[in-house]
Amino acid sequence: MIPLNIQISGFLSYKDQVDIDFTDVHLACISGANGAGKSSILDAMTWAFFGNARSKNDAVINQQSEAAEVRIDFAYENQTYRIQRTKTQNKSQVLEFSIQNPETSDWRPLTEHTISETQKRIQSILRLDYDTFTNAAFFLQGKADQFTQLPPSRRKEILSNILGLEI
């Protein structure tokens, strides 16, 4: 999965909309002062893909915002996908999943009837769940040793997912 663009608004430290274009980025270093929003960019990615961030439910919404919204476009297996996750205060999340038609650049919805069904579809296409992602490709802040702390059966399951042994 290759991130192409991420749009963040009202999410954690991002009150105003921010667009980050990754299309010409091959290697990046995110640096800045404490509290500048470096970790929030990474949290926005995991929240968009899996609905998980270091904060839960309404806590992902910036204190000066009514809603948090993250939209990420990414390339995977010669296709371009879009995930948009929105959380309005005191309301349920909204999760939209789309694939881009390469000929027309139009987006065709892949969203299912419920959030959990849509989440399962995203994970099925990516062949990746949150635990596998955060133990193999994306280490959470302060949790680089997370994999080594898991019980042997869970480590075996994650390694099987990484290697595609379930296929």
PDB file of all heavy atoms in Angstrom, residues 34-67:
ATOM      1  N   ASN A  34       7.609  19.488  19.672  1.00  0.00           N
ATOM      2  CA  ASN A  34       6.604  18.695  20.377  1.00  0.00           C
ATOM      3  C   ASN A  34       5.244  19.361  20.229  1.00  0.00           C
ATOM      4  O   ASN A  34       5.120  20.579  20.365  1.00  0.00           O
ATOM      5  CB  ASN A  34       6.959  18.573  21.870  1.00  0.00           C
ATOM      6  CG  ASN A  34       8.078  17.601  22.114  1.00  0.00           C
ATOM      7  OD1 ASN A  34       8.419  16.805  21.246  1.00  0.00           O
ATOM      8  ND2 ASN A  34       8.650  17.649  23.307  1.00  0.00           N
ATOM      9  N   GLY A  35       4.230  18.547  19.941  1.00  0.00           N
ATOM     10  CA  GLY A  35       2.876  19.069  19.805  1.00  0.00           C
ATOM     11  C   GLY A  35       2.570  19.666  18.450  1.00  0.00           C
ATOM     12  O   GLY A  35       1.487  20.228  18.242  1.00  0.00           O
ATOM     13  N   ALA A  36       3.503  19.555  17.496  1.00  0.00           N
ATOM     14  CA  ALA A  36       3.302  20.156  16.171  1.00  0.00           C
ATOM     15  C   ALA A  36       2.361  19.344  15.287  1.00  0.00           C
ATOM     16  O   ALA A  36       1.882  19.843  14.276  1.00  0.00           O
ATOM     17  CB  ALA A  36       4.646  20.347  15.470  1.00  0.00           C
ATOM     18  N   GLY A  37       2.107  18.077  15.645  1.00  0.00           N
ATOM     19  CA  GLY A  37       1.190  17.261  14.865  1.00  0.00           C
ATOM     20  C   GLY A  37       1.834  16.136  14.080  1.00  0.00           C
ATOM     21  O   GLY A  37       1.198  15.537  13.224  1.00  0.00           O
ATOM     22  N   LYS A  38       3.097  15.821  14.390  1.00  0.00           N
ATOM     23  CA  LYS A  38       3.784  14.737  13.671  1.00  0.00           C
ATOM     24  C   LYS A  38       3.075  13.403  13.881  1.00  0.00           C
ATOM     25  O   LYS A  38       2.744  12.713  12.929  1.00  0.00           O
ATOM     26  CB  LYS A  38       5.244  14.636  14.137  1.00  0.00           C
ATOM     27  CG  LYS A  38       6.067  15.898  13.973  1.00  0.00           C
ATOM     28  CD  LYS A  38       7.465  15.738  14.518  1.00  0.00           C
ATOM     29  CE  LYS A  38       7.548  15.442  15.997  1.00  0.00           C
ATOM     30  NZ  LYS A  38       7.113  16.505  16.895  1.00  0.00           N
ATOM     31  N   SER A  39       2.837  13.054  15.128  1.00  0.00           N
ATOM     32  CA  SER A  39       2.170  11.786  15.431  1.00  0.00           C
ATOM     33  C   SER A  39       0.726  11.783  14.949  1.00  0.00           C
ATOM     34  O   SER A  39       0.185  10.724  14.616  1.00  0.00           O
ATOM     35  CB  SER A  39       2.207  11.512  16.933  1.00  0.00           C
ATOM     36  OG  SER A  39       3.534  11.334  17.364  1.00  0.00           O
ATOM     37  N   SER A  40       0.118  12.952  14.900  1.00  0.00           N
ATOM     38  CA  SER A  40      -1.278  13.034  14.438  1.00  0.00           C
ATOM     39  C   SER A  40      -1.409  12.633  12.974  1.00  0.00           C
ATOM     40  O   SER A  40      -2.430  12.083  12.566  1.00  0.00           O
ATOM     41  CB  SER A  40      -1.830  14.444  14.641  1.00  0.00           C
ATOM     42  OG  SER A  40      -1.937  14.737  16.015  1.00  0.00           O
ATOM     43  N   ILE A  41      -0.379  12.896  12.175  1.00  0.00           N
ATOM     44  CA  ILE A  41      -0.401  12.473  10.767  1.00  0.00           C
ATOM     45  C   ILE A  41      -0.435  10.948  10.700  1.00  0.00           C
ATOM     46  O   ILE A  41      -1.226  10.361   9.960  1.00  0.00           O
ATOM     47  CB  ILE A  41       0.825  13.019  10.001  1.00  0.00           C
ATOM     48  CG1 ILE A  41       0.771  14.542   9.918  1.00  0.00           C
ATOM     49  CG2 ILE A  41       0.907  12.405   8.598  1.00  0.00           C
ATOM     50  CD1 ILE A  41       2.053  15.177   9.404  1.00  0.00           C
ATOM     51  N   LEU A  42       0.403  10.312  11.495  1.00  0.00           N
ATOM     52  CA  LEU A  42       0.462   8.851  11.506  1.00  0.00           C
ATOM     53  C   LEU A  42      -0.816   8.268  12.105  1.00  0.00           C
ATOM     54  O   LEU A  42      -1.341   7.267  11.614  1.00  0.00           O
ATOM     55  CB  LEU A  42       1.707   8.390  12.255  1.00  0.00           C
ATOM     56  CG  LEU A  42       3.019   8.968  11.700  1.00  0.00           C
ATOM     57  CD1 LEU A  42       4.199   8.546  12.558  1.00  0.00           C
ATOM     58  CD2 LEU A  42       3.230   8.573  10.257  1.00  0.00           C
ATOM     59  N   ASP A  43      -1.334   8.896  13.167  1.00  0.00           N
ATOM     60  CA  ASP A  43      -2.608   8.463  13.743  1.00  0.00           C
ATOM     61  C   ASP A  43      -3.742   8.599  12.730  1.00  0.00           C
ATOM     62  O   ASP A  43      -4.646   7.763  12.694  1.00  0.00           O
ATOM     63  CB  ASP A  43      -2.956   9.297  14.977  1.00  0.00           C
ATOM     64  CG  ASP A  43      -2.360   8.735  16.258  1.00  0.00           C
ATOM     65  OD1 ASP A  43      -2.111   7.516  16.317  1.00  0.00           O
ATOM     66  OD2 ASP A  43      -2.159   9.522  17.195  1.00  0.00           O
ATOM     67  N   ALA A  44      -3.691   9.648  11.917  1.00  0.00           N
ATOM     68  CA  ALA A  44      -4.729   9.841  10.898  1.00  0.00           C
ATOM     69  C   ALA A  44      -4.723   8.676   9.912  1.00  0.00           C
ATOM     70  O   ALA A  44      -5.787   8.217   9.474  1.00  0.00           O
ATOM     71  CB  ALA A  44      -4.517  11.170  10.166  1.00  0.00           C
ATOM     72  N   MET A  45      -3.552   8.185   9.580  1.00  0.00           N
ATOM     73  CA  MET A  45      -3.466   7.045   8.663  1.00  0.00           C
ATOM     74  C   MET A  45      -4.080   5.792   9.275  1.00  0.00           C
ATOM     75  O   MET A  45      -4.894   5.127   8.646  1.00  0.00           O
ATOM     76  CB  MET A  45      -2.016   6.789   8.268  1.00  0.00           C
ATOM     77  CG  MET A  45      -1.449   7.817   7.350  1.00  0.00           C
ATOM     78  SD  MET A  45       0.250   7.368   6.936  1.00  0.00           S
ATOM     79  CE  MET A  45       0.643   8.662   5.782  1.00  0.00           C
ATOM     80  N   THR A  46      -3.680   5.463  10.504  1.00  0.00           N
ATOM     81  CA  THR A  46      -4.218   4.247  11.121  1.00  0.00           C
ATOM     82  C   THR A  46      -5.711   4.387  11.391  1.00  0.00           C
ATOM     83  O   THR A  46      -6.453   3.408  11.288  1.00  0.00           O
ATOM     84  CB  THR A  46      -3.476   3.864  12.418  1.00  0.00           C
ATOM     85  OG1 THR A  46      -3.597   4.917  13.369  1.00  0.00           O
ATOM     86  CG2 THR A  46      -2.022   3.542  12.142  1.00  0.00           C
ATOM     87  N   TRP A  47      -6.165   5.601  11.709  1.00  0.00           N
ATOM     88  CA  TRP A  47      -7.590   5.818  11.946  1.00  0.00           C
ATOM     89  C   TRP A  47      -8.380   5.647  10.650  1.00  0.00           C
ATOM     90  O   TRP A  47      -9.434   5.016  10.638  1.00  0.00           O
ATOM     91  CB  TRP A  47      -7.824   7.197  12.558  1.00  0.00           C
ATOM     92  CG  TRP A  47      -9.219   7.417  13.041  1.00  0.00           C
ATOM     93  CD1 TRP A  47      -9.845   6.782  14.074  1.00  0.00           C
ATOM     94  CD2 TRP A  47     -10.164   8.353  12.514  1.00  0.00           C
ATOM     95  NE1 TRP A  47     -11.124   7.266  14.217  1.00  0.00           N
ATOM     96  CE2 TRP A  47     -11.342   8.238  13.284  1.00  0.00           C
ATOM     97  CE3 TRP A  47     -10.121   9.284  11.485  1.00  0.00           C
ATOM     98  CZ2 TRP A  47     -12.473   9.006  13.044  1.00  0.00           C
ATOM     99  CZ3 TRP A  47     -11.245  10.058  11.249  1.00  0.00           C
ATOM    100  CH2 TRP A  47     -12.415   9.917  12.017  1.00  0.00           C
ATOM    101  N   ALA A  48      -7.851   6.200   9.556  1.00  0.00           N
ATOM    102  CA  ALA A  48      -8.545   6.059   8.270  1.00  0.00           C
ATOM    103  C   ALA A  48      -8.620   4.590   7.862  1.00  0.00           C
ATOM    104  O   ALA A  48      -9.691   4.083   7.524  1.00  0.00           O
ATOM    105  CB  ALA A  48      -7.840   6.872   7.186  1.00  0.00           C
ATOM    106  N   PHE A  49      -7.505   3.878   7.921  1.00  0.00           N
ATOM    107  CA  PHE A  49      -7.467   2.490   7.480  1.00  0.00           C
ATOM    108  C   PHE A  49      -8.217   1.529   8.408  1.00  0.00           C
ATOM    109  O   PHE A  49      -8.903   0.634   7.949  1.00  0.00           O
ATOM    110  CB  PHE A  49      -6.019   1.989   7.343  1.00  0.00           C
ATOM    111  CG  PHE A  49      -5.315   2.497   6.119  1.00  0.00           C
ATOM    112  CD1 PHE A  49      -4.195   3.300   6.230  1.00  0.00           C
ATOM    113  CD2 PHE A  49      -5.768   2.163   4.852  1.00  0.00           C
ATOM    114  CE1 PHE A  49      -3.540   3.766   5.097  1.00  0.00           C
ATOM    115  CE2 PHE A  49      -5.117   2.627   3.711  1.00  0.00           C
ATOM    116  CZ  PHE A  49      -4.003   3.434   3.843  1.00  0.00           C
ATOM    117  N   PHE A  50      -8.057   1.725   9.715  1.00  0.00           N
ATOM    118  CA  PHE A  50      -8.527   0.711  10.657  1.00  0.00           C
ATOM    119  C   PHE A  50      -9.473   1.224  11.743  1.00  0.00           C
ATOM    120  O   PHE A  50      -9.958   0.434  12.545  1.00  0.00           O
ATOM    121  CB  PHE A  50      -7.326   0.027  11.328  1.00  0.00           C
ATOM    122  CG  PHE A  50      -6.355  -0.550  10.337  1.00  0.00           C
ATOM    123  CD1 PHE A  50      -5.139   0.061  10.089  1.00  0.00           C
ATOM    124  CD2 PHE A  50      -6.672  -1.700   9.630  1.00  0.00           C
ATOM    125  CE1 PHE A  50      -4.243  -0.461   9.172  1.00  0.00           C
ATOM    126  CE2 PHE A  50      -5.785  -2.238   8.709  1.00  0.00           C
ATOM    127  CZ  PHE A  50      -4.569  -1.619   8.479  1.00  0.00           C
ATOM    128  N   GLY A  51      -9.683   2.534  11.810  1.00  0.00           N
ATOM    129  CA  GLY A  51     -10.548   3.081  12.856  1.00  0.00           C
ATOM    130  C   GLY A  51      -9.878   3.139  14.216  1.00  0.00           C
ATOM    131  O   GLY A  51     -10.545   3.306  15.228  1.00  0.00           O
ATOM    132  N   ASN A  52      -8.555   2.995  14.242  1.00  0.00           N
ATOM    133  CA  ASN A  52      -7.797   3.016  15.492  1.00  0.00           C
ATOM    134  C   ASN A  52      -6.825   4.186  15.504  1.00  0.00           C
ATOM    135  O   ASN A  52      -6.102   4.404  14.532  1.00  0.00           O
ATOM    136  CB  ASN A  52      -6.995   1.726  15.667  1.00  0.00           C
ATOM    137  CG  ASN A  52      -7.863   0.536  15.966  1.00  0.00           C
ATOM    138  OD1 ASN A  52      -8.974   0.677  16.467  1.00  0.00           O
ATOM    139  ND2 ASN A  52      -7.375  -0.643  15.653  1.00  0.00           N
ATOM    140  N   ALA A  53      -6.812   4.900  16.616  1.00  0.00           N
ATOM    141  CA  ALA A  53      -5.845   5.967  16.859  1.00  0.00           C
ATOM    142  C   ALA A  53      -5.556   5.946  18.353  1.00  0.00           C
ATOM    143  O   ALA A  53      -6.203   5.210  19.103  1.00  0.00           O
ATOM    144  CB  ALA A  53      -6.409   7.319  16.429  1.00  0.00           C
ATOM    145  N   ARG A  54      -4.616   6.751  18.797  1.00  0.00           N
ATOM    146  CA  ARG A  54      -4.296   6.732  20.236  1.00  0.00           C
ATOM    147  C   ARG A  54      -5.450   7.267  21.062  1.00  0.00           C
ATOM    148  O   ARG A  54      -5.552   6.993  22.249  1.00  0.00           O
ATOM    149  CB  ARG A  54      -3.013   7.489  20.516  1.00  0.00           C
ATOM    150  CG  ARG A  54      -3.078   8.948  20.161  1.00  0.00           C
ATOM    151  CD  ARG A  54      -1.723   9.601  20.221  1.00  0.00           C
ATOM    152  NE  ARG A  54      -1.665  10.546  19.125  1.00  0.00           N
ATOM    153  CZ  ARG A  54      -1.087  11.704  19.200  1.00  0.00           C
ATOM    154  NH1 ARG A  54      -0.471  12.059  20.288  1.00  0.00           N
ATOM    155  NH2 ARG A  54      -1.099  12.506  18.175  1.00  0.00           N
ATOM    156  N   SER A  55      -6.339   8.032  20.458  1.00  0.00           N
ATOM    157  CA  SER A  55      -7.551   8.506  21.126  1.00  0.00           C
ATOM    158  C   SER A  55      -8.738   7.728  20.579  1.00  0.00           C
ATOM    159  O   SER A  55      -8.714   7.237  19.464  1.00  0.00           O
ATOM    160  CB  SER A  55      -7.750   9.999  20.873  1.00  0.00           C
ATOM    161  OG  SER A  55      -6.665  10.730  21.385  1.00  0.00           O
ATOM    162  N   LYS A  56      -9.790   7.655  21.339  1.00  0.00           N
ATOM    163  CA  LYS A  56     -10.961   6.871  20.949  1.00  0.00           C
ATOM    164  C   LYS A  56     -12.187   7.764  20.785  1.00  0.00           C
ATOM    165  O   LYS A  56     -12.318   8.797  21.432  1.00  0.00           O
ATOM    166  CB  LYS A  56     -11.271   5.801  22.008  1.00  0.00           C
ATOM    167  CG  LYS A  56     -10.132   4.842  22.273  1.00  0.00           C
ATOM    168  CD  LYS A  56      -9.959   3.873  21.145  1.00  0.00           C
ATOM    169  CE  LYS A  56      -8.855   2.882  21.471  1.00  0.00           C
ATOM    170  NZ  LYS A  56      -8.251   2.312  20.335  1.00  0.00           N
ATOM    171  N   ASN A  57     -13.086   7.327  19.923  1.00  0.00           N
ATOM    172  CA  ASN A  57     -14.393   7.951  19.709  1.00  0.00           C
ATOM    173  C   ASN A  57     -14.294   9.460  19.533  1.00  0.00           C
ATOM    174  O   ASN A  57     -13.517   9.931  18.711  1.00  0.00           O
ATOM    175  CB  ASN A  57     -15.353   7.559  20.824  1.00  0.00           C
ATOM    176  CG  ASN A  57     -15.579   6.064  20.851  1.00  0.00           C
ATOM    177  OD1 ASN A  57     -15.677   5.432  19.811  1.00  0.00           O
ATOM    178  ND2 ASN A  57     -15.628   5.499  22.032  1.00  0.00           N
ATOM    179  N   ASP A  58     -15.054  10.239  20.309  1.00  0.00           N
ATOM    180  CA  ASP A  58     -15.068  11.694  20.148  1.00  0.00           C
ATOM    181  C   ASP A  58     -13.726  12.341  20.492  1.00  0.00           C
ATOM    182  O   ASP A  58     -13.486  13.486  20.112  1.00  0.00           O
ATOM    183  CB  ASP A  58     -16.174  12.326  20.998  1.00  0.00           C
ATOM    184  CG  ASP A  58     -17.558  12.150  20.403  1.00  0.00           C
ATOM    185  OD1 ASP A  58     -17.676  11.495  19.335  1.00  0.00           O
ATOM    186  OD2 ASP A  58     -18.533  12.660  20.989  1.00  0.00           O
ATOM    187  N   ALA A  59     -12.849  11.641  21.194  1.00  0.00           N
ATOM    188  CA  ALA A  59     -11.551  12.205  21.577  1.00  0.00           C
ATOM    189  C   ALA A  59     -10.648  12.450  20.369  1.00  0.00           C
ATOM    190  O   ALA A  59      -9.683  13.208  20.476  1.00  0.00           O
ATOM    191  CB  ALA A  59     -10.855  11.300  22.585  1.00  0.00           C
ATOM    192  N   VAL A  60     -10.945  11.853  19.206  1.00  0.00           N
ATOM    193  CA  VAL A  60     -10.138  12.133  18.011  1.00  0.00           C
ATOM    194  C   VAL A  60     -10.498  13.493  17.413  1.00  0.00           C
ATOM    195  O   VAL A  60      -9.758  14.020  16.587  1.00  0.00           O
ATOM    196  CB  VAL A  60     -10.269  11.045  16.916  1.00  0.00           C
ATOM    197  CG1 VAL A  60      -9.805   9.696  17.421  1.00  0.00           C
ATOM    198  CG2 VAL A  60     -11.657  10.981  16.335  1.00  0.00           C
ATOM    199  N   ILE A  61     -11.624  14.061  17.829  1.00  0.00           N
ATOM    200  CA  ILE A  61     -12.072  15.348  17.286  1.00  0.00           C
ATOM    201  C   ILE A  61     -11.312  16.479  17.971  1.00  0.00           C
ATOM    202  O   ILE A  61     -11.246  16.539  19.202  1.00  0.00           O
ATOM    203  CB  ILE A  61     -13.595  15.530  17.479  1.00  0.00           C
ATOM    204  CG1 ILE A  61     -14.353  14.374  16.826  1.00  0.00           C
ATOM    205  CG2 ILE A  61     -14.057  16.875  16.933  1.00  0.00           C
ATOM    206  CD1 ILE A  61     -15.839  14.342  17.154  1.00  0.00           C
ATOM    207  N   ASN A  62     -10.744  17.365  17.180  1.00  0.00           N
ATOM    208  CA  ASN A  62     -10.060  18.537  17.711  1.00  0.00           C
ATOM    209  C   ASN A  62     -11.014  19.303  18.616  1.00  0.00           C
ATOM    210  O   ASN A  62     -12.199  19.443  18.310  1.00  0.00           O
ATOM    211  CB  ASN A  62      -9.588  19.424  16.547  1.00  0.00           C
ATOM    212  CG  ASN A  62      -8.862  20.659  17.012  1.00  0.00           C
ATOM    213  OD1 ASN A  62      -9.482  21.627  17.432  1.00  0.00           O
ATOM    214  ND2 ASN A  62      -7.555  20.628  16.918  1.00  0.00           N
ATOM    215  N   GLN A  63     -10.516  19.806  19.726  1.00  0.00           N
ATOM    216  CA  GLN A  63     -11.357  20.473  20.726  1.00  0.00           C
ATOM    217  C   GLN A  63     -12.101  21.691  20.182  1.00  0.00           C
ATOM    218  O   GLN A  63     -13.119  22.091  20.732  1.00  0.00           O
ATOM    219  CB  GLN A  63     -10.522  20.875  21.937  1.00  0.00           C
ATOM    220  CG  GLN A  63     -10.003  19.691  22.707  1.00  0.00           C
ATOM    221  CD  GLN A  63      -9.131  20.087  23.871  1.00  0.00           C
ATOM    222  OE1 GLN A  63      -8.784  21.255  24.056  1.00  0.00           O
ATOM    223  NE2 GLN A  63      -8.745  19.105  24.678  1.00  0.00           N
ATOM    224  N   GLN A  64     -11.620  22.262  19.097  1.00  0.00           N
ATOM    225  CA  GLN A  64     -12.264  23.435  18.511  1.00  0.00           C
ATOM    226  C   GLN A  64     -13.050  23.082  17.254  1.00  0.00           C
ATOM    227  O   GLN A  64     -13.416  23.971  16.489  1.00  0.00           O
ATOM    228  CB  GLN A  64     -11.209  24.503  18.192  1.00  0.00           C
ATOM    229  CG  GLN A  64     -10.481  24.979  19.432  1.00  0.00           C
ATOM    230  CD  GLN A  64      -9.324  25.901  19.086  1.00  0.00           C
ATOM    231  OE1 GLN A  64      -8.849  25.949  17.968  1.00  0.00           O
ATOM    232  NE2 GLN A  64      -8.870  26.643  20.092  1.00  0.00           N
ATOM    233  N   SER A  65     -13.316  21.801  17.054  1.00  0.00           N
ATOM    234  CA  SER A  65     -14.012  21.345  15.847  1.00  0.00           C
ATOM    235  C   SER A  65     -15.254  20.552  16.220  1.00  0.00           C
ATOM    236  O   SER A  65     -15.364  20.015  17.315  1.00  0.00           O
ATOM    237  CB  SER A  65     -13.091  20.462  15.000  1.00  0.00           C
ATOM    238  OG  SER A  65     -11.932  21.160  14.613  1.00  0.00           O
ATOM    239  N   GLU A  66     -16.157  20.475  15.276  1.00  0.00           N
ATOM    240  CA  GLU A  66     -17.385  19.688  15.450  1.00  0.00           C
ATOM    241  C   GLU A  66     -17.200  18.251  14.968  1.00  0.00           C
ATOM    242  O   GLU A  66     -17.935  17.360  15.389  1.00  0.00           O
ATOM    243  CB  GLU A  66     -18.544  20.334  14.670  1.00  0.00           C
ATOM    244  CG  GLU A  66     -18.977  21.679  15.225  1.00  0.00           C
ATOM    245  CD  GLU A  66     -19.604  21.553  16.594  1.00  0.00           C
ATOM    246  OE1 GLU A  66     -20.422  20.629  16.799  1.00  0.00           O
ATOM    247  OE2 GLU A  66     -19.261  22.361  17.471  1.00  0.00           O
ATOM    248  N   ALA A  67     -16.244  18.060  14.063  1.00  0.00           N
ATOM    249  CA  ALA A  67     -16.055  16.734  13.473  1.00  0.00           C
ATOM    250  C   ALA A  67     -14.595  16.535  13.092  1.00  0.00           C
ATOM    251  O   ALA A  67     -13.871  17.489  12.817  1.00  0.00           O
ATOM    252  CB  ALA A  67     -16.935  16.569  12.243  1.00  0.00           C
TER     253      ALA A  67
END
